[in-house]
Amino acid sequence: MNVRGKVNILLVDDQPSRLLSYEAILGGLGQNLVTASSGLEALDRLMRDEFAVILLDVSMPGMDGFETAAMIHQHPRFERTPIIFVTAFHVTDLDRLKGYELGAVDYVYVPVVPAILRSKVAVLVELYLKRRELQALNAVLEQANGELAAANSTLQAEKAHELERLNATLEEANAELELANGTLQAEVVARERLDLALREADRKKDEFLAMLAHELRNPLAPIQNAVQLMDLSGLDDPQLVWCREVIERQLRHLTRLVEDLLDVSRITEGKINVEREPVGLPAVVSRAIETCRPLIDARRHELIVEMPGEPVRVMGDLTRLSQVVGNLLNNAAKYTENGGRIRVTVASEGDEAVIRVLDTGVGIPADMLPKVFELFTQVERTLDRAQGGLGIGLALVRRLVDIHGGTVVAHSDGRGKGSEFVVRLPLLQAANSPPEPAGHHASPAGDATPHRIVVADDNEDAAASLAMLLRRSGSYVETAADGAEAVETAERVRPDIVFLDVGMPRLDGYEAARRIRAEPWGRDVALIALTGWGQEGVRSRTRAAGFDAHLVKPVDFARVTEVLAGLRRPAAPSPAN
């Protein structure tokens, strides 16, 4: 009995182009691909035939994917038909739960990764074939049991050879039962393969987040340089001043989202660096307020800060703890109506240091309180909060606090009644507290000394805008579009400083740095890596290649001048322009 013929796969999407892409991706499975452009058409196809799996678009006009799935599984014939939802948006846990209750076995996101979609559908098709084989075997087994029952009813009237025939039939039935058990074991193996495929998809998601954040940093660098050039040049037209301020605010917001994406990826992969040292919580709060002040002022919030009279210190990373408080302040400012009030308090309670951030904002429903720290969770996204972010800020808060051995909880009396977030960290007792390092003091404001500089970046806008900023201090600057040109230009110019992007054509930044260092004139040149990658592995590579500093795009020009001042390289006279 052959039950492994071709099976039907139903593809439902209102966009013909996506249907064509699904057919191209799944064509190699060798199955019957049936398409439908709406929920009603999909139901019509189901009434005519049986399908092993349904690929269903969530967002369709008229009857959406969830409604279609509900109607499909209300019919007894299709209540076990597996459904894979396709969506172009990240769904919340509630939406995901709704989908699973409607019979969904998985989600895939647009743009679809062909290998992942093909693997998931192939597993479900295999499960369907195995189930169909098992049904056929069960029918055979049922028939054999019927024959055995009939034989038992006439056992005493039968002859000895008839009894032997019945025993043979029983042996055949046992063999078929053993085959059925093997089929069940194969289904378990198939489920394990599906679980491995899901874990692999999750890993690829983390890799995609890291790559996305890096690629976004490259265009952010020239935008930030251009904004700073506008600021330094001075603008008389009020509308141009307003435009520059808008670009600066949105650039800051986008940069924060990119950094959050990278931090999620780093924490997930266990690669985030935390440098522990004695840190005063007032310094943490002050730095966080400095970061969030533009948003707080723009929304005209009243900010109340209450600090204790005695020192409150913890052992931790100043930058990461400031990021924790900054994310909480940023969250409070976004979700509080204009003219609201935000209160930040620092205190010591027993052996714990406590930071509280209280606002008069929209509040949090009781059913959402346990979920607000989960990745990609947002309490609400409405038109007046279009800049609500990606739902990763609070997830980062919890993970960073966990790394510091602390806890964070959220409180709210409900919608419209504000929220309170409480961070608790192990308190550093005064008797065991070494002095705070001097490295936390402000760095020099800049370096006004003119230099001979080469800027190499395959992003023409990034190289040109940084060169313009550097020329304002009187430096002589030339640009290069790749690593090989950077080496040639440096050999001709004999610069004091070379800025090198790491990823460039013809010759990457690492090799360009090594070649410059190999030249007699290049031994004392200050090499600065300016790149979209900030992971420790990349920093180690730049150090090994001979770089003196590593800056991550987009970098504020004040930070560039700080680095230049710290290099203490002798400046050469600038050639006549």
Side-chain angles (χ1 to χ4, degrees):
M1 179 182 299
N2 182 16
V3 295
R4 294 190 67 87
K6 288 187 176 182
V7 301
N8 296 322
I9 300 172
L10 182 57
L11 312 175
V12 187
D13 201 301
D14 62 313
Q15 297 187 25
S17 60
R18 290 227 290 247
L19 288 175
L20 287 175
S21 67
Y22 300 155
E23 289 178 322
I25 293 170
L26 302 177
L29 296 180
Q31 308 300 333
N32 296 325
L33 303 179
V34 180
T35 63
S37 59
S38 67
L40 290 175
E41 188 178 356
L43 295 174
D44 180 66
R45 295 280 191 272
L46 283 165
M47 296 306 296
R48 299 180 188 178
D49 213 332
E50 182 180 358
F51 292 87
V53 60
I54 301 172
L55 190 65
L56 182 57
D57 183 22
V58 171
S59 300
M60 294 188 294
M63 182 186 299
D64 66 16
F66 289 135
E67 293 171 332
T68 303
M71 295 193 68
I72 289 173
H73 283 161
Q74 285 173 3
H75 196 290
R77 278 178 56 197
F78 315 122
E79 61 182 0
R80 293 176 180 245
T81 302
I83 297 174
I84 298 176
F85 279 127
V86 180
T87 177
F89 302 95
H90 284 290
V91 293
T92 64
D93 287 345
L94 290 177
D95 288 334
R96 190 177 289 110
L97 178 60
K98 177 182 177 182
Y100 290 146
E101 289 176 345
L102 293 174
V105 298
D106 206 350
Y107 283 83
V108 294
Y109 296 91
V110 175
V112 172
V113 179
I116 293 177
L117 177 60
R118 194 181 304 112
S119 174
K120 292 181 177 181
V121 172
V123 169
L124 293 174
V125 167
E126 182 66 19
L127 288 175
Y128 175 84
L129 291 172
K130 294 294 185 183
R131 188 163 55 250
R132 196 159 65 179
E133 288 178 354
L134 182 58
Q135 290 172 349
L137 290 172
N138 285 336
V140 173
L141 181 58
E142 184 177 357
Q143 179 182 357
N145 287 334
E147 293 175 358
L148 182 60
N152 285 332
S153 66
T154 59
L155 182 60
Q156 296 191 3
E158 296 248 337
K159 295 181 179 180
H161 69 275
E162 292 175 339
L163 181 58
E164 292 175 357
R165 179 179 59 82
L166 291 174
N167 287 333
T169 302
L170 180 60
E171 290 177 359
E172 181 182 352
N174 287 335
E176 291 175 347
L177 180 60
E178 184 178 353
L179 181 60
N181 288 333
T183 302
L184 288 174
Q185 292 177 356
E187 183 173 349
V188 171
V189 172
R191 288 182 178 273
E192 291 176 349
R193 286 203 304 268
L194 177 60
D195 183 61
L196 288 174
L198 291 174
R199 287 202 293 268
E200 176 65 12
D202 188 62
R203 182 188 64 79
K204 290 182 178 180
K205 178 262 296 179
D206 291 333
E207 291 178 353
F208 169 75
L209 287 179
M211 180 60 69
L212 174 65
H214 168 257
E215 291 302 324
L216 287 175
R217 276 175 162 172
N218 283 321
L220 289 178
I223 296 173
Q224 178 158 303
N225 290 341
V227 169
Q228 292 178 124
L229 275 169
M230 293 167 65
D231 191 28
L232 292 172
S233 299
L235 299 173
D236 297 328
D237 190 330
Q239 288 188 336
L240 292 179
V241 173
W242 179 83
C243 289
R244 181 192 61 76
E245 291 174 349
V246 168
I247 296 171
E248 187 174 21
R249 285 195 299 272
Q250 299 307 316
L251 176 66
R252 189 184 306 113
H253 178 68
L254 183 55
T255 302
R256 187 186 187 95
L257 292 181
V258 171
E259 290 301 326
D260 283 351
L261 277 173
L262 270 179
D263 282 340
V264 167
S265 176
R266 291 166 184 158
I267 293 176
T268 301
E269 297 176 4
K271 296 180 179 179
I272 195 164
N273 292 321
V274 176
E275 299 179 1
R276 300 179 186 274
E277 55 191 0
V279 176
L281 290 191
V284 170
V285 173
S286 296
R287 180 178 288 196
I289 291 174
E290 180 182 350
T291 302
C292 300
R293 176 63 73 178
L295 177 60
I296 294 172
D297 291 344
R299 297 183 68 93
R300 302 189 304 278
H301 294 318
E302 177 188 2
L303 178 62
I304 302 171
V305 181
E306 298 178 355
M307 296 291 181
E310 69 282 356
V312 178
R313 305 173 76 195
V314 299
M315 185 67 72
D317 188 309
L318 175 61
T319 300
R320 294 302 180 183
L321 291 177
S322 299
Q323 186 178 3
V324 167
V325 180
N327 279 6
L328 294 178
L329 282 172
N330 190 67
N331 205 60
K334 284 191 300 186
Y335 290 97
T336 299
E337 297 293 344
N338 289 353
R341 185 171 62 254
I342 302 172
R343 183 185 300 273
V344 182
T345 64
V346 174
S348 58
E349 298 178 3
D351 57 355
E352 293 180 325
V354 183
I355 304 173
R356 287 183 168 86
V357 178
L358 180 68
D359 63 64
T360 58
V362 298
I364 305 172
D367 60 323
M368 290 298 297
L369 278 172
K371 304 175 183 178
V372 293
F373 295 105
E374 295 178 5
L375 197 59
F376 305 123
T377 295
Q378 290 183 313
V379 174
E380 65 176 24
R381 180 187 288 272
T382 58
L383 290 177
D384 62 331
R385 291 185 178 84
Q387 297 184 10
L390 302 175
I392 59 180
L394 291 181
L396 275 175
V397 167
R398 184 177 65 178
R399 296 184 184 188
L400 289 173
V401 170
D402 287 345
I403 290 173
H404 283 83
T407 61
V408 58
V409 294
H411 303 287
S412 178
D413 292 331
R415 292 187 182 275
K417 297 184 178 180
S419 307
E420 182 184 24
F421 290 84
V422 182
V423 177
R424 296 180 179 274
L425 299 166
L427 184 65
L428 185 62
Q429 301 299 330
N432 301 321
S433 174
E436 194 167 329
H440 294 303
H441 297 302
S443 300
D447 180 15
T449 305
H451 297 280
R452 299 165 66 91
I453 301 175
V454 173
V455 177
D457 197 320
D458 58 330
N459 185 321
E460 182 179 347
D461 291 337
S465 57
L466 179 57
M468 292 173 69
L469 284 168
L470 292 167
R471 289 186 185 116
R472 293 187 65 88
S473 64
S475 293
Y476 174 79
V477 185
E478 289 200 23
T479 61
D482 57 62
E485 185 180 348
V487 176
E488 295 168 1
T489 304
E491 185 170 11
R492 174 171 51 82
V493 173
R494 302 297 174 91
D496 309 307
I497 301 163
V498 178
F499 288 87
L500 288 171
D501 183 24
V502 169
M504 291 187 291
R506 294 180 63 196
L507 202 68
D508 64 27
Y510 302 115
E511 184 59 28
R514 282 190 283 267
R515 293 191 184 185
I516 290 173
R517 280 282 184 257
E519 298 292 338
W521 53 264
R523 293 169 186 168
D524 293 327
V525 174
L527 299 181
I528 301 175
L530 189 59
T531 174
W533 296 103
Q535 294 93 329
E536 182 56 33
V538 179
R539 293 179 184 273
S540 298
R541 288 188 65 188
T542 56
R543 285 194 295 269
F547 283 94
D548 296 287
H550 184 115
L551 298 179
V552 179
K553 300 177 183 177
V555 59
D556 190 274
F557 190 65
R559 175 59 181 153
V560 173
T561 53
E562 273 186 30
V563 171
L564 294 182
L567 292 173
R568 297 179 182 175
R569 299 281 179 181
S574 301
N577 289 317

